[in-house]
Amino acid sequence: MRVTAGVARAEQTARALLDAYRASPGEVRDRPAIRNIVDELTERHPRITGVRELHTAVTRA
């Protein structure tokens, strides 16, 4: 159950950050704390829907 909750939370986080990125790309891309979250999501949950797209969007300079 714990793994499922972690995956669900990661999916929810990726979805929320993608929504925020679509609304205001610079605000998401330029914040170090958000970039750290994206890096962690990419490292721990690379196959979750939206994580790769989010990583590409945030690391695009």
Side-chain angles (χ1 to χ4, degrees):
M1 185 68 166
R2 208 171 189 175
V3 172
T4 304
V7 170
R9 198 168 320 135
E11 287 175 342
Q12 182 179 17
T13 301
R15 194 174 322 114
L17 288 174
L18 272 173
D19 289 345
Y21 178 80
R22 289 179 183 124
S24 184
E27 287 291 319
V28 173
R29 188 176 45 241
D30 297 338
R31 292 185 184 262
I34 292 176
R35 292 178 71 131
N36 288 340
I37 292 168
V38 172
D39 288 343
E40 187 173 325
L41 280 172
T42 302
E43 183 179 310
R44 293 184 181 190
H45 305 285
R47 292 184 178 92
I48 286 181
T49 303
V51 170
R52 286 186 210 145
E53 179 185 355
L54 179 63
H55 184 260
T56 300
V58 171
T59 57
R60 200 180 314 150

